[in-house]
Amino acid sequence: MVHHHRASLLVHQQRKGEAAAEDPLHADGGGMKELRGRLADYACHHRKHGHDALLRMLAGFALVSCLLLLLPGSPVSAAMDELLQLGRRTRHDEEAPPPCADVANGTVCCDRSALRTDVCVMRGDVRTQGASNSLFLLLRPNSSAAADERIRPYTRKWESSIMSTIDELRLRSAPEGDAAAPARCDVRHGIPAVVLSTGGYTGNVYHEFNDGIIPLYITARHYNKKVVFVMLEYHDWWMTKYGHIVEQLSDYPPIDFANDRRTHCFPEAVVGLRIHDELAIDAARMPANQTIQDFRQMLDDAHRGRIQTIIKEEEEEAAAAAAAAATAPAEIERRKQQQHRGSKRNDRPRLVIVSRNGSRAIENEAELVRAAEGAGFRVAVLQPRQDTELAKMYRALNASDVMVGVHGAAMTHFLFMRPGSVFIQVVPLGTDWAAETYYGEPARRLGLRYMPYKILPSESSLYGQYAKDDPVLTDPNTVNAKGWQVTKQVYLDGQNVRLDMARFRLQLRQAYGHWAAQRRRRRADSGNTQRRRPM
């Protein structure tokens, strides 16, 4: 399940405010603006005397200023020197690298400054020891640079309950010959390692992407696939599901830390993953300013081969079925008519409903399907399960023009949609903040047209369970203020929706209009390109 934690956003906003307050260039901005304003006023006032007089005045001012600056001990010179020093310090502070960005050989450095995650870097002769859940950094004999750090490499460090389930690693430096450290290397790697956990909330697709896959991309991308992933709490099913993505980030097979008892040696190890925000990538902190759209392109590359195989298998099955079918003239005519109807349908936009079982299900889903078809869409209903092959989900949503679903972890699949597509998230009572934070804003960053549909109390199954003036219906914020468990019990686990189709058809019409406008633009761009080609 997705946990509704506002602390990360509050801390982020607080830090932005503190950064602005501490910026000396902003702090002294008023005086500089006043000086610029006076000079501009002076120049305008004297313009009527002619440009020559103005130029003589400015030249004289420049000469006097230079003399004052050059005079030793001049108060103006001292003030200017201080200003220049301030500028140097400001630039230096702004360009200062993050903690542990530059780690000396033979050093263990841990950055524990972030709210969401700890990251440690070991550089030198790094050796694994699965039996003791340790990584050793071997030092020269008689070295005094001792280190002993502990870290749980998972990106939700503020959640003590889930972090307690993550295996803890001990990072130790020890001189060569130390009895506790591995004496030799069974496998020596010439490239770095990234150590991560695939435990925690694994099994929930939101957390798998937000806490695992995207942070892995952020942490490993600059290695250009020349990196080995060392996995704590390794799961075979996780590798089956995400192996195609892992192959896009590393040319080497991952290591099951707990069960591979060989000593692996690396010149460097990054323990823990970096994370930016909810389903987000901050281009300013990425090589080549990569964004969430670059991440999505990587997903395209990861699934392209498997999708092509699936299509080929389907075509072979269809060909075999056609060969086995009767070849009577009536059957041939029926297939022709079916193909004709199919060609007409293929010109319509494709809408995918991501269906839910249990809580937050759409009780009148069949009515929604009919309404969407009536609005001009080809409709498919997907109900993802844990064993649903990711490539099949990717294929369905990558080919869709609109995705509709109720707020929940499955909305993470918006990452599979093409930029410019429409994402309609049905927002149940009491989930406004989470729907916007976890899916709405990230969808906009991906380039989707996000269209939230906030239900009315009458569209919630809670409407029949509570009095019409109950805060559960009239003031969800007050109810949510009672804590996560209350939110989960009342709004997440205790609520279904029954869409008011008269209201929802407006969303469908807007989505269709957006698709039609996009298609007209593409055709116009294509026509312009054709006309610009040389004859």
Side-chain angles (χ1 to χ4, degrees), residues 147-224:
D148 192 343
E149 300 279 355
R150 296 176 187 272
I151 182 173
R152 299 180 190 269
Y154 191 60
T155 57
R156 299 187 79 83
K157 78 173 189 180
W158 75 92
E159 283 195 69
S160 57
S161 58
I162 198 64
M163 291 301 290
S164 66
T165 71
I166 304 297
D167 288 349
E168 185 178 67
L169 273 180
R170 189 176 179 186
L171 314 181
R172 293 188 276 179
S173 59
E176 292 179 5
D178 189 289
R184 61 184 178 82
C185 297
D186 298 315
V187 184
R188 185 174 288 280
H189 305 266
I191 56 176
V194 169
V195 184
L196 66 145
S197 171
T198 56
Y201 288 123
T202 293
N204 176 297
V205 67
Y206 169 82
H207 290 291
E208 287 167 5
F209 273 91
N210 186 69
D211 305 338
I213 297 296
I214 293 178
L216 185 61
Y217 177 92
I218 290 170
T219 307
R221 193 62 168 173
H222 71 280
Y223 290 115
N224 294 318

Side-chain angles (χ1 to χ4, degrees), residues 36 59 87 112 177 187 205 215 222 264 281 296 320 334 356 366 399 427 438-439 442 469 481-482:
R36 287 195 297 269
R112 303 188 187 274
V187 184
V205 67
H222 71 280
H264 292 264
I281 294 173
R296 192 198 169 281
R334 187 189 68 79
R356 289 182 63 93
V427 183
Y438 297 133
Y439 305 112
D469 60 350
K482 295 179 181 179

Side-chain angles (χ1 to χ4, degrees), residues 91-282:
R91 288 193 297 272
H92 175 74
D93 292 343
E94 288 174 351
E95 296 172 4
C100 303
D102 187 14
V103 178
N105 202 49
T107 303
V108 179
C109 177
C110 288
D111 177 5
R112 303 188 187 274
S113 62
L115 172 71
R116 297 168 179 261
T117 187
D118 291 333
V119 177
C120 295
V121 181
M122 311 174 74
R123 188 162 294 159
D125 186 354
V126 181
R127 303 187 179 190
T128 65
Q129 191 178 77
S132 65
N133 259 27
S134 299
L135 293 180
F136 280 89
L137 176 63
L138 264 63
L139 306 174
R140 294 177 179 176
N142 303 320
S143 174
S144 60
D148 192 343
E149 300 279 355
R150 296 176 187 272
I151 182 173
R152 299 180 190 269
Y154 191 60
T155 57
R156 299 187 79 83
K157 78 173 189 180
W158 75 92
E159 283 195 69
S160 57
S161 58
I162 198 64
M163 291 301 290
S164 66
T165 71
I166 304 297
D167 288 349
E168 185 178 67
L169 273 180
R170 189 176 179 186
L171 314 181
R172 293 188 276 179
S173 59
E176 292 179 5
D178 189 289
R184 61 184 178 82
C185 297
D186 298 315
V187 184
R188 185 174 288 280
H189 305 266
I191 56 176
V194 169
V195 184
L196 66 145
S197 171
T198 56
Y201 288 123
T202 293
N204 176 297
V205 67
Y206 169 82
H207 290 291
E208 287 167 5
F209 273 91
N210 186 69
D211 305 338
I213 297 296
I214 293 178
L216 185 61
Y217 177 92
I218 290 170
T219 307
R221 193 62 168 173
H222 71 280
Y223 290 115
N224 294 318
K225 302 177 74 170
K226 305 306 178 187
V227 62
V228 176
F229 298 141
V230 179
M231 297 183 179
L232 279 65
E233 300 162 82
Y234 181 99
H235 300 284
D236 287 331
W237 69 262
W238 191 95
M239 277 303 301
T240 299
K241 185 174 184 178
Y242 294 112
H244 295 308
I245 297 175
V246 171
E247 289 170 1
Q248 291 295 312
L249 298 175
S250 172
D251 284 333
Y252 304 87
I255 295 170
D256 179 353
F257 183 78
N259 294 312
D260 187 342
R261 294 308 175 114
R262 296 175 297 175
T263 297
H264 292 264
C265 299
F266 301 92
E268 178 181 315
V270 177
V271 186
L273 302 179
R274 302 189 185 279
I275 182 171
H276 294 163
D277 206 340
E278 309 296 337
L279 298 177
I281 294 173
D282 182 356

